[in-house]
Amino acid sequence: MTEQAKEQEWPLWEVFIRSKAGLDHKHCGSVHASDSEMAMEAARDVYTRRSEGISIWVVPSNAITASKPEDKESLFEPADDKIYRHPTFYDIPKGAGKM
Amino acid sequence: MTELSKQDALVHYAAQIGDNGLIIGHRMAEWCFRAPSIEMEMALMNCALDMIGQSRELYSYAAEAEGAGKTEDDFAYRRDEKDFRNNLLTEVPNGDWGDTIVRLFFMSAYNKLFYAALAGSSDSQLAAIGAKSLKEVTYHLRFSSEWLIRLGDGTEESHERAQKSVDSLWTYTGELFTMTDAENRLLKDGISVDVAALKADWNEIIEQVLKQATLTVPADGWAQTGGKAEGIHTEYFGYIIADMQYMQRRYPGCEW
């Protein structure tokens, strides 16, 4: 694709949908649209055709800062051997009863 | 001229509203695989399916009111050109994206007012269809309005082309507010919608959106009519039903 064609493309938006009251919005995909209102309509038309949602968020994709896949080892692996961070690591004293 | 019986008028009326949905739905569906982006394609197909769904309910009701053992398919696939009483606006070709959006906008603005009024019909089945359809066409109006605002208030070229679409389709809008014999017959029982009375509200929606789109509202002039009242269509119509009815004409009664 030429640089000019790239510039003329609509920006990308990430779509988050809440499936029912009380649940979180979940990321479900992305759409191309010229602005937020059009992105909202595109998200409705593409991702809620089968009653998947009751609320939609759209966020410009470039507003999201994402961790880099190559940082995975340094970011996440150090947590793997810190089992004492899980409550299940600890024995509950008998006197505490059921928690 | 003898007056239409209430039953005949009801069959005619339900089918006539259904014809609008089927024909514009078919036109919109012609964009399948041809829309500018996957998002727009799905948006148009959603609209098309809403409108074809509306026509199915109306044809089924027309068949029931007639009581001659017909089904919705008889109305869609086994009638001739002259029997279809859609507004001419629904059958003109899609043209470019701007034409498609403007047609959908004109029609959705009308449908929104029409179905809102139909929801108050004294006929409970028509009232139920009106209430359900109103939610669908409210979205069609939102979608087409937002697009038209961006086309009109977009680039120099999109503005110019959107204005051209508005101007060229305007001549088909007058027919929306004409009353047929069936409509007049059912009006006194509170069954049909007085569409002539919708014109002022329709103008208001059109003016408000076109203003936001920096487009000019054309002056009302001579209007194209004949589809709704007499089944006299544009030259484009025959191709629509040739395409749509091919299977039933070639293999009568085929099912799949």
Side-chain angles (χ1 to χ4, degrees), chain B residues 10-24:
Chain B
L10 187 59
V11 174
H12 189 103
Y13 186 56
Q16 166 207 315
I17 309 167
D19 290 342
N20 269 347
L22 184 69
I23 300 303
I24 192 174

Side-chain angles (χ1 to χ4, degrees), chain A residues 36-65:
Chain A
S36 60
E37 179 57 34
M38 298 302 260
M40 176 64 70
E41 294 183 4
R44 181 266 185 191
D45 282 319
V46 175
Y47 292 112
T48 67
R49 306 175 79 227
R50 299 178 184 87
S51 307
E52 289 95 335
I54 57 158
S55 167
I56 302 173
W57 288 349
V58 287
V59 178
S61 301
N62 64 15
I64 292 177
T65 308

Side-chain angles (χ1 to χ4, degrees), chain B residues 75-123:
Chain B
F75 284 85
Y77 299 126
R78 298 183 196 106
R79 286 184 306 155
D80 287 325
E81 176 163 348
K82 195 98 201 293
D83 303 324
F84 282 85
R85 298 302 168 91
N86 54 287
N87 286 292
L88 298 176
L89 178 63
T90 62
E91 71 190 50
V92 291
N94 284 327
D96 63 17
W97 182 254
D99 296 325
T100 297
I101 290 296
V102 169
R103 185 236 304 271
L104 181 62
F105 168 63
F106 285 164
M107 204 58 209
S108 304
Y110 173 81
N111 278 342
K112 187 174 178 189
L113 299 168
F114 177 80
Y115 282 121
L118 192 68
S121 170
S122 64
D123 181 297

Side-chain angles (χ1 to χ4, degrees), chain A residues 10 30-32 34-35 37-38 40-42 44-46 49, chain B residues 37-40 42-43 45-46 49 139 142-143 146-147 150:
Chain A
W10 290 332
S30 50
V31 292
H32 283 97
S34 59
D35 54 66
E37 179 57 34
M38 298 302 260
M40 176 64 70
E41 294 183 4
R44 181 266 185 191
D45 282 319
V46 175
R49 306 175 79 227
Chain B
S37 74
I38 182 84
E39 290 88 344
M40 294 309 103
M42 293 185 73
M45 292 317 109
N46 288 346
L49 289 173
Y139 182 75
R142 170 177 168 166
F143 171 81
E146 294 295 344
W147 254 106
R150 282 157 183 79

Side-chain angles (χ1 to χ4, degrees), chain B residues 98-244:
Chain B
D99 296 325
T100 297
I101 290 296
V102 169
R103 185 236 304 271
L104 181 62
F105 168 63
F106 285 164
M107 204 58 209
S108 304
Y110 173 81
N111 278 342
K112 187 174 178 189
L113 299 168
F114 177 80
Y115 282 121
L118 192 68
S121 170
S122 64
D123 181 297
S124 62
Q125 184 66 24
L126 289 178
I129 292 172
K132 176 172 180 280
S133 305
L134 178 60
K135 295 175 198 163
E136 295 169 337
V137 299
T138 298
Y139 182 75
H140 303 169
L141 179 59
R142 170 177 168 166
F143 171 81
S144 55
S145 300
E146 294 295 344
W147 254 106
L148 187 54
I149 289 165
R150 282 157 183 79
L151 291 175
D153 196 16
T155 65
E156 204 175 308
E157 184 187 354
S158 72
H159 175 88
E160 203 175 295
R161 290 175 69 171
Q163 185 66 58
K164 220 174 110 198
S165 304
V166 168
D167 294 345
S168 66
L169 289 168
W170 191 255
T171 185
Y172 296 102
T173 59
E175 188 188 22
L176 296 170
F177 309 100
T178 57
M179 296 284 286
T180 62
D181 293 341
E183 284 171 311
N184 282 321
R185 169 66 185 84
L186 297 173
L187 196 58
K188 58 187 175 195
D189 295 313
I191 295 173
S192 63
V193 174
D194 182 359
V195 291
L198 302 178
K199 173 83 166 130
D201 287 344
W202 186 83
N203 277 346
E204 204 170 300
I205 298 174
I206 302 305
E207 277 162 23
Q208 190 234 324
V209 173
L210 289 193
K211 191 176 167 204
Q212 242 184 304
T214 70
L215 295 167
T216 310
V217 182
D220 280 329
W222 178 77
Q224 293 270 3
T225 57
K228 182 181 174 183
E230 299 169 278
I232 297 174
H233 295 274
T234 63
E235 64 268 38
Y236 312 111
F237 189 82
Y239 297 97
I240 297 179
I241 54 169
D243 189 8
M244 197 166 64

Side-chain angles (χ1 to χ4, degrees), chain B residues 38-56:
Chain B
I38 182 84
E39 290 88 344
M40 294 309 103
E41 175 147 328
M42 293 185 73
L44 289 191
M45 292 317 109
N46 288 346
C47 292
L49 289 173
D50 285 345
M51 294 189 280
I52 292 169
Q54 290 160 9
S55 72
R56 289 188 60 185

